[in-house]
Amino acid sequence: MAEAYSGLVAATVRSLIVYPIKSCQGISLRRVPISSTGFRWDRQWLVVNSKGRAYTQRVEPRLALVGVELPSEAFSENWKPDKSSYLVIKAPGMSDLKVPLIRPTKTVDGVSVWEWSGSAVDEGAAAAEWFTSYLGKPSRLVRFNDASEVRNVDSNYAQGYKVMFADGYPFLLVSQGSMDALNSLLKEPVPVNRFRPNILVDGCEPFMEDVWAEIRINESTFRGVKLCSRCKVPTINQETAVAGPEPMETLLTFRSDKDLRQKNKSQKGKMYFGQNMVCSDSLNKGTGKMIKVGDPVFVLRTVASANDAPA
């Protein structure tokens, strides 16, 4: 299998999604520039509680209903915001919130997401009041403070790469073939937004992304560094914010570490869907390179099976 796919066009980019605010809705785009931390604007903002701890859909599923908009030109090469540039935030029952894209000056300490803590830029009273009203508990909106903070990915899987407020890695890739295989087993199919990928590809066999160790899209090289173990977020309907048992119950019947990683003796009941990736361009602080919908995906290097992929 590894030999057959080496250097061949294995798939095509079907969708590209950026999530400016962690755990809120994504923005689907035709083309996206690569930055030093993933796609430009991805997970640059975070909603936190009164102690600075991250809110995510795991504990606040209503974040799924929060929509975000950025100026279309914000994804153009070398674009910089001015005083008339805003992140627009929308949610049911709420008036629109406009957050200036020009960076505010106030920083706050003690912001934390998973294992990381540091300072962040506070987006001010209006944003705090909006999210406090929407969630019904003290909340603030903060922006990653890239002027002074660095959040590195796990060096056991990738050296030198960094993210803003993403869970762990700059990119998550999922294939439509995998989605179709899963949905064929479900009584009610689920959309791909349950899995929150950055890159959705089409044209390959189900779960081929498991074995992609290195791929090329346009002029950029991506490396598969870790199978994505899934939390409860895929059980949350992104249109209603209501959680249910699926698709996790079904995935656990054929995508658990017990099924996929029989050589690994430290099985912990994890379930995998999608591949976490890094891009070599990000090591150069982002080159302004773009990938776009319709780009072919060339597979340069594979492993033999999911059992041999890092996880």
PDB file of all heavy atoms in Angstrom, residues 241-269:
ATOM      1  N   ALA A 241     -26.714  22.406  19.388  1.00  0.00           N
ATOM      2  CA  ALA A 241     -25.899  22.339  20.610  1.00  0.00           C
ATOM      3  C   ALA A 241     -26.362  21.232  21.557  1.00  0.00           C
ATOM      4  O   ALA A 241     -26.022  21.237  22.738  1.00  0.00           O
ATOM      5  CB  ALA A 241     -25.877  23.682  21.342  1.00  0.00           C
ATOM      6  N   VAL A 242     -27.117  20.269  21.044  1.00  0.00           N
ATOM      7  CA  VAL A 242     -27.601  19.147  21.850  1.00  0.00           C
ATOM      8  C   VAL A 242     -26.707  17.937  21.602  1.00  0.00           C
ATOM      9  O   VAL A 242     -26.425  17.588  20.451  1.00  0.00           O
ATOM     10  CB  VAL A 242     -29.066  18.811  21.514  1.00  0.00           C
ATOM     11  CG1 VAL A 242     -29.520  17.568  22.272  1.00  0.00           C
ATOM     12  CG2 VAL A 242     -29.963  19.998  21.841  1.00  0.00           C
ATOM     13  N   ALA A 243     -26.283  17.284  22.682  1.00  0.00           N
ATOM     14  CA  ALA A 243     -25.410  16.119  22.567  1.00  0.00           C
ATOM     15  C   ALA A 243     -26.214  14.828  22.572  1.00  0.00           C
ATOM     16  O   ALA A 243     -27.307  14.756  23.131  1.00  0.00           O
ATOM     17  CB  ALA A 243     -24.402  16.098  23.712  1.00  0.00           C
ATOM     18  N   GLY A 244     -25.665  13.803  21.931  1.00  0.00           N
ATOM     19  CA  GLY A 244     -26.279  12.482  21.905  1.00  0.00           C
ATOM     20  C   GLY A 244     -25.191  11.428  21.931  1.00  0.00           C
ATOM     21  O   GLY A 244     -24.001  11.753  22.022  1.00  0.00           O
ATOM     22  N   PRO A 245     -25.539  10.163  21.827  1.00  0.00           N
ATOM     23  CA  PRO A 245     -24.529   9.101  21.906  1.00  0.00           C
ATOM     24  C   PRO A 245     -23.706   8.921  20.631  1.00  0.00           C
ATOM     25  O   PRO A 245     -22.592   8.395  20.680  1.00  0.00           O
ATOM     26  CB  PRO A 245     -25.361   7.855  22.190  1.00  0.00           C
ATOM     27  CG  PRO A 245     -26.709   8.156  21.598  1.00  0.00           C
ATOM     28  CD  PRO A 245     -26.919   9.619  21.793  1.00  0.00           C
ATOM     29  N   GLU A 246     -24.261   9.314  19.504  1.00  0.00           N
ATOM     30  CA  GLU A 246     -23.569   9.113  18.235  1.00  0.00           C
ATOM     31  C   GLU A 246     -22.852  10.392  17.783  1.00  0.00           C
ATOM     32  O   GLU A 246     -23.215  11.484  18.183  1.00  0.00           O
ATOM     33  CB  GLU A 246     -24.577   8.680  17.151  1.00  0.00           C
ATOM     34  CG  GLU A 246     -25.193   7.308  17.384  1.00  0.00           C
ATOM     35  CD  GLU A 246     -24.206   6.157  17.177  1.00  0.00           C
ATOM     36  OE1 GLU A 246     -22.983   6.400  17.036  1.00  0.00           O
ATOM     37  OE2 GLU A 246     -24.674   5.015  17.162  1.00  0.00           O
ATOM     38  N   PRO A 247     -21.801  10.235  16.976  1.00  0.00           N
ATOM     39  CA  PRO A 247     -21.330   9.004  16.332  1.00  0.00           C
ATOM     40  C   PRO A 247     -20.327   8.197  17.161  1.00  0.00           C
ATOM     41  O   PRO A 247     -19.753   7.227  16.658  1.00  0.00           O
ATOM     42  CB  PRO A 247     -20.661   9.530  15.065  1.00  0.00           C
ATOM     43  CG  PRO A 247     -20.068  10.838  15.503  1.00  0.00           C
ATOM     44  CD  PRO A 247     -21.063  11.419  16.463  1.00  0.00           C
ATOM     45  N   MET A 248     -20.103   8.603  18.414  1.00  0.00           N
ATOM     46  CA  MET A 248     -19.054   7.955  19.198  1.00  0.00           C
ATOM     47  C   MET A 248     -19.324   6.475  19.447  1.00  0.00           C
ATOM     48  O   MET A 248     -18.411   5.653  19.379  1.00  0.00           O
ATOM     49  CB  MET A 248     -18.880   8.689  20.531  1.00  0.00           C
ATOM     50  CG  MET A 248     -18.505  10.159  20.366  1.00  0.00           C
ATOM     51  SD  MET A 248     -16.955  10.402  19.468  1.00  0.00           S
ATOM     52  CE  MET A 248     -15.777  10.094  20.783  1.00  0.00           C
ATOM     53  N   GLU A 249     -20.565   6.136  19.724  1.00  0.00           N
ATOM     54  CA  GLU A 249     -20.868   4.726  19.992  1.00  0.00           C
ATOM     55  C   GLU A 249     -20.492   3.853  18.810  1.00  0.00           C
ATOM     56  O   GLU A 249     -19.920   2.769  18.974  1.00  0.00           O
ATOM     57  CB  GLU A 249     -22.351   4.551  20.339  1.00  0.00           C
ATOM     58  CG  GLU A 249     -22.702   4.968  21.757  1.00  0.00           C
ATOM     59  CD  GLU A 249     -24.113   4.560  22.146  1.00  0.00           C
ATOM     60  OE1 GLU A 249     -24.855   4.056  21.264  1.00  0.00           O
ATOM     61  OE2 GLU A 249     -24.477   4.755  23.317  1.00  0.00           O
ATOM     62  N   THR A 250     -20.820   4.313  17.614  1.00  0.00           N
ATOM     63  CA  THR A 250     -20.485   3.529  16.420  1.00  0.00           C
ATOM     64  C   THR A 250     -18.984   3.531  16.155  1.00  0.00           C
ATOM     65  O   THR A 250     -18.389   2.490  15.834  1.00  0.00           O
ATOM     66  CB  THR A 250     -21.245   4.076  15.200  1.00  0.00           C
ATOM     67  OG1 THR A 250     -22.647   3.886  15.407  1.00  0.00           O
ATOM     68  CG2 THR A 250     -20.827   3.370  13.924  1.00  0.00           C
ATOM     69  N   LEU A 251     -18.345   4.679  16.298  1.00  0.00           N
ATOM     70  CA  LEU A 251     -16.902   4.735  16.061  1.00  0.00           C
ATOM     71  C   LEU A 251     -16.139   3.827  17.012  1.00  0.00           C
ATOM     72  O   LEU A 251     -15.127   3.220  16.632  1.00  0.00           O
ATOM     73  CB  LEU A 251     -16.415   6.179  16.204  1.00  0.00           C
ATOM     74  CG  LEU A 251     -16.722   7.077  14.996  1.00  0.00           C
ATOM     75  CD1 LEU A 251     -16.469   8.538  15.344  1.00  0.00           C
ATOM     76  CD2 LEU A 251     -15.891   6.667  13.787  1.00  0.00           C
ATOM     77  N   LEU A 252     -16.599   3.707  18.223  1.00  0.00           N
ATOM     78  CA  LEU A 252     -15.911   2.855  19.185  1.00  0.00           C
ATOM     79  C   LEU A 252     -15.981   1.375  18.818  1.00  0.00           C
ATOM     80  O   LEU A 252     -15.211   0.568  19.345  1.00  0.00           O
ATOM     81  CB  LEU A 252     -16.489   3.080  20.586  1.00  0.00           C
ATOM     82  CG  LEU A 252     -16.026   4.363  21.274  1.00  0.00           C
ATOM     83  CD1 LEU A 252     -16.829   4.618  22.540  1.00  0.00           C
ATOM     84  CD2 LEU A 252     -14.533   4.300  21.602  1.00  0.00           C
ATOM     85  N   THR A 253     -16.870   1.022  17.882  1.00  0.00           N
ATOM     86  CA  THR A 253     -16.963  -0.383  17.471  1.00  0.00           C
ATOM     87  C   THR A 253     -15.919  -0.759  16.425  1.00  0.00           C
ATOM     88  O   THR A 253     -15.680  -1.950  16.191  1.00  0.00           O
ATOM     89  CB  THR A 253     -18.359  -0.701  16.908  1.00  0.00           C
ATOM     90  OG1 THR A 253     -18.560   0.026  15.687  1.00  0.00           O
ATOM     91  CG2 THR A 253     -19.457  -0.349  17.906  1.00  0.00           C
ATOM     92  N   PHE A 254     -15.278   0.264  15.787  1.00  0.00           N
ATOM     93  CA  PHE A 254     -14.285  -0.094  14.769  1.00  0.00           C
ATOM     94  C   PHE A 254     -13.132   0.886  14.634  1.00  0.00           C
ATOM     95  O   PHE A 254     -12.216   0.650  13.852  1.00  0.00           O
ATOM     96  CB  PHE A 254     -14.971  -0.289  13.404  1.00  0.00           C
ATOM     97  CG  PHE A 254     -15.408   0.978  12.711  1.00  0.00           C
ATOM     98  CD1 PHE A 254     -14.780   1.404  11.551  1.00  0.00           C
ATOM     99  CD2 PHE A 254     -16.458   1.749  13.209  1.00  0.00           C
ATOM    100  CE1 PHE A 254     -15.174   2.567  10.899  1.00  0.00           C
ATOM    101  CE2 PHE A 254     -16.866   2.904  12.559  1.00  0.00           C
ATOM    102  CZ  PHE A 254     -16.229   3.313  11.404  1.00  0.00           C
ATOM    103  N   ARG A 255     -13.134   1.959  15.444  1.00  0.00           N
ATOM    104  CA  ARG A 255     -12.052   2.944  15.355  1.00  0.00           C
ATOM    105  C   ARG A 255     -11.358   3.173  16.693  1.00  0.00           C
ATOM    106  O   ARG A 255     -10.698   4.195  16.891  1.00  0.00           O
ATOM    107  CB  ARG A 255     -12.616   4.276  14.830  1.00  0.00           C
ATOM    108  CG  ARG A 255     -13.117   4.235  13.390  1.00  0.00           C
ATOM    109  CD  ARG A 255     -12.008   4.083  12.392  1.00  0.00           C
ATOM    110  NE  ARG A 255     -11.050   5.178  12.447  1.00  0.00           N
ATOM    111  CZ  ARG A 255      -9.918   5.206  11.753  1.00  0.00           C
ATOM    112  NH1 ARG A 255      -9.589   4.192  10.956  1.00  0.00           N
ATOM    113  NH2 ARG A 255      -9.092   6.224  11.860  1.00  0.00           N
ATOM    114  N   SER A 256     -11.480   2.244  17.610  1.00  0.00           N
ATOM    115  CA  SER A 256     -10.819   2.386  18.908  1.00  0.00           C
ATOM    116  C   SER A 256      -9.367   1.939  18.803  1.00  0.00           C
ATOM    117  O   SER A 256      -8.965   1.287  17.830  1.00  0.00           O
ATOM    118  CB  SER A 256     -11.538   1.554  19.966  1.00  0.00           C
ATOM    119  OG  SER A 256     -11.310   0.180  19.748  1.00  0.00           O
ATOM    120  N   ASP A 257      -8.576   2.272  19.829  1.00  0.00           N
ATOM    121  CA  ASP A 257      -7.200   1.791  19.826  1.00  0.00           C
ATOM    122  C   ASP A 257      -7.143   0.267  19.890  1.00  0.00           C
ATOM    123  O   ASP A 257      -6.218  -0.353  19.364  1.00  0.00           O
ATOM    124  CB  ASP A 257      -6.373   2.430  20.944  1.00  0.00           C
ATOM    125  CG  ASP A 257      -7.039   2.363  22.305  1.00  0.00           C
ATOM    126  OD1 ASP A 257      -8.056   1.659  22.454  1.00  0.00           O
ATOM    127  OD2 ASP A 257      -6.538   3.032  23.229  1.00  0.00           O
ATOM    128  N   LYS A 258      -8.148  -0.347  20.474  1.00  0.00           N
ATOM    129  CA  LYS A 258      -8.195  -1.815  20.506  1.00  0.00           C
ATOM    130  C   LYS A 258      -8.300  -2.389  19.099  1.00  0.00           C
ATOM    131  O   LYS A 258      -7.709  -3.439  18.790  1.00  0.00           O
ATOM    132  CB  LYS A 258      -9.388  -2.265  21.344  1.00  0.00           C
ATOM    133  CG  LYS A 258      -9.533  -3.776  21.462  1.00  0.00           C
ATOM    134  CD  LYS A 258     -10.739  -4.144  22.313  1.00  0.00           C
ATOM    135  CE  LYS A 258     -10.910  -5.654  22.390  1.00  0.00           C
ATOM    136  NZ  LYS A 258     -12.091  -6.029  23.208  1.00  0.00           N
ATOM    137  N   ASP A 259      -9.041  -1.705  18.223  1.00  0.00           N
ATOM    138  CA  ASP A 259      -9.221  -2.180  16.847  1.00  0.00           C
ATOM    139  C   ASP A 259      -8.048  -1.797  15.949  1.00  0.00           C
ATOM    140  O   ASP A 259      -7.628  -2.589  15.101  1.00  0.00           O
ATOM    141  CB  ASP A 259     -10.505  -1.596  16.257  1.00  0.00           C
ATOM    142  CG  ASP A 259     -11.746  -2.052  16.997  1.00  0.00           C
ATOM    143  OD1 ASP A 259     -12.009  -3.266  16.997  1.00  0.00           O
ATOM    144  OD2 ASP A 259     -12.438  -1.201  17.584  1.00  0.00           O
ATOM    145  N   LEU A 260      -7.537  -0.583  16.113  1.00  0.00           N
ATOM    146  CA  LEU A 260      -6.560  -0.054  15.168  1.00  0.00           C
ATOM    147  C   LEU A 260      -5.122  -0.273  15.581  1.00  0.00           C
ATOM    148  O   LEU A 260      -4.224  -0.278  14.741  1.00  0.00           O
ATOM    149  CB  LEU A 260      -6.783   1.456  14.972  1.00  0.00           C
ATOM    150  CG  LEU A 260      -8.122   1.888  14.382  1.00  0.00           C
ATOM    151  CD1 LEU A 260      -8.156   3.404  14.249  1.00  0.00           C
ATOM    152  CD2 LEU A 260      -8.375   1.237  13.034  1.00  0.00           C
ATOM    153  N   ARG A 261      -4.877  -0.428  16.876  1.00  0.00           N
ATOM    154  CA  ARG A 261      -3.503  -0.399  17.363  1.00  0.00           C
ATOM    155  C   ARG A 261      -3.231  -1.613  18.247  1.00  0.00           C
ATOM    156  O   ARG A 261      -2.868  -1.509  19.418  1.00  0.00           O
ATOM    157  CB  ARG A 261      -3.248   0.910  18.109  1.00  0.00           C
ATOM    158  CG  ARG A 261      -3.563   2.133  17.224  1.00  0.00           C
ATOM    159  CD  ARG A 261      -3.216   3.434  17.884  1.00  0.00           C
ATOM    160  NE  ARG A 261      -1.813   3.534  18.230  1.00  0.00           N
ATOM    161  CZ  ARG A 261      -0.818   3.738  17.366  1.00  0.00           C
ATOM    162  NH1 ARG A 261      -1.080   3.847  16.065  1.00  0.00           N
ATOM    163  NH2 ARG A 261       0.426   3.832  17.788  1.00  0.00           N
ATOM    164  N   GLN A 262      -3.385  -2.786  17.646  1.00  0.00           N
ATOM    165  CA  GLN A 262      -3.268  -4.029  18.396  1.00  0.00           C
ATOM    166  C   GLN A 262      -1.848  -4.308  18.854  1.00  0.00           C
ATOM    167  O   GLN A 262      -1.634  -5.023  19.832  1.00  0.00           O
ATOM    168  CB  GLN A 262      -3.806  -5.183  17.546  1.00  0.00           C
ATOM    169  CG  GLN A 262      -5.289  -5.055  17.250  1.00  0.00           C
ATOM    170  CD  GLN A 262      -5.794  -6.126  16.291  1.00  0.00           C
ATOM    171  OE1 GLN A 262      -5.054  -6.998  15.887  1.00  0.00           O
ATOM    172  NE2 GLN A 262      -7.067  -6.036  15.937  1.00  0.00           N
ATOM    173  N   LYS A 263      -0.859  -3.705  18.188  1.00  0.00           N
ATOM    174  CA  LYS A 263       0.525  -3.879  18.614  1.00  0.00           C
ATOM    175  C   LYS A 263       0.834  -3.069  19.884  1.00  0.00           C
ATOM    176  O   LYS A 263       1.773  -3.361  20.593  1.00  0.00           O
ATOM    177  CB  LYS A 263       1.486  -3.429  17.506  1.00  0.00           C
ATOM    178  CG  LYS A 263       1.470  -4.295  16.253  1.00  0.00           C
ATOM    179  CD  LYS A 263       2.455  -3.724  15.247  1.00  0.00           C
ATOM    180  CE  LYS A 263       2.406  -4.468  13.924  1.00  0.00           C
ATOM    181  NZ  LYS A 263       3.321  -3.853  12.919  1.00  0.00           N
ATOM    182  N   ASN A 264       0.035  -2.029  20.101  1.00  0.00           N
ATOM    183  CA  ASN A 264       0.279  -1.130  21.222  1.00  0.00           C
ATOM    184  C   ASN A 264      -0.358  -1.702  22.484  1.00  0.00           C
ATOM    185  O   ASN A 264      -1.575  -1.894  22.549  1.00  0.00           O
ATOM    186  CB  ASN A 264      -0.296   0.256  20.900  1.00  0.00           C
ATOM    187  CG  ASN A 264       0.160   1.308  21.880  1.00  0.00           C
ATOM    188  OD1 ASN A 264       0.232   1.057  23.082  1.00  0.00           O
ATOM    189  ND2 ASN A 264       0.473   2.489  21.371  1.00  0.00           N
ATOM    190  N   LYS A 265       0.455  -1.944  23.491  1.00  0.00           N
ATOM    191  CA  LYS A 265      -0.053  -2.574  24.699  1.00  0.00           C
ATOM    192  C   LYS A 265      -0.699  -1.594  25.674  1.00  0.00           C
ATOM    193  O   LYS A 265      -1.356  -2.013  26.623  1.00  0.00           O
ATOM    194  CB  LYS A 265       1.085  -3.326  25.401  1.00  0.00           C
ATOM    195  CG  LYS A 265       1.648  -4.480  24.564  1.00  0.00           C
ATOM    196  CD  LYS A 265       2.764  -5.195  25.302  1.00  0.00           C
ATOM    197  CE  LYS A 265       3.316  -6.342  24.449  1.00  0.00           C
ATOM    198  NZ  LYS A 265       4.416  -7.057  25.144  1.00  0.00           N
ATOM    199  N   SER A 266      -0.517  -0.296  25.456  1.00  0.00           N
ATOM    200  CA  SER A 266      -1.070   0.702  26.376  1.00  0.00           C
ATOM    201  C   SER A 266      -2.394   1.263  25.851  1.00  0.00           C
ATOM    202  O   SER A 266      -2.565   2.468  25.728  1.00  0.00           O
ATOM    203  CB  SER A 266      -0.076   1.841  26.596  1.00  0.00           C
ATOM    204  OG  SER A 266       0.231   2.479  25.366  1.00  0.00           O
ATOM    205  N   GLN A 267      -3.318   0.399  25.530  1.00  0.00           N
ATOM    206  CA  GLN A 267      -4.614   0.828  25.014  1.00  0.00           C
ATOM    207  C   GLN A 267      -5.448   1.433  26.140  1.00  0.00           C
ATOM    208  O   GLN A 267      -5.528   0.888  27.230  1.00  0.00           O
ATOM    209  CB  GLN A 267      -5.328  -0.369  24.376  1.00  0.00           C
ATOM    210  CG  GLN A 267      -4.605  -0.886  23.140  1.00  0.00           C
ATOM    211  CD  GLN A 267      -5.102  -2.239  22.678  1.00  0.00           C
ATOM    212  OE1 GLN A 267      -5.994  -2.814  23.276  1.00  0.00           O
ATOM    213  NE2 GLN A 267      -4.521  -2.767  21.619  1.00  0.00           N
ATOM    214  N   LYS A 268      -6.064   2.584  25.840  1.00  0.00           N
ATOM    215  CA  LYS A 268      -6.785   3.327  26.869  1.00  0.00           C
ATOM    216  C   LYS A 268      -8.220   3.650  26.458  1.00  0.00           C
ATOM    217  O   LYS A 268      -8.830   4.563  26.984  1.00  0.00           O
ATOM    218  CB  LYS A 268      -6.033   4.617  27.183  1.00  0.00           C
ATOM    219  CG  LYS A 268      -4.622   4.388  27.714  1.00  0.00           C
ATOM    220  CD  LYS A 268      -3.900   5.697  27.979  1.00  0.00           C
ATOM    221  CE  LYS A 268      -2.493   5.454  28.497  1.00  0.00           C
ATOM    222  NZ  LYS A 268      -1.751   6.725  28.726  1.00  0.00           N
ATOM    223  N   GLY A 269      -8.750   2.881  25.495  1.00  0.00           N
ATOM    224  CA  GLY A 269     -10.118   3.131  25.071  1.00  0.00           C
ATOM    225  C   GLY A 269     -10.281   4.385  24.230  1.00  0.00           C
ATOM    226  O   GLY A 269     -11.379   4.917  24.109  1.00  0.00           O
TER     227      GLY A 269
END
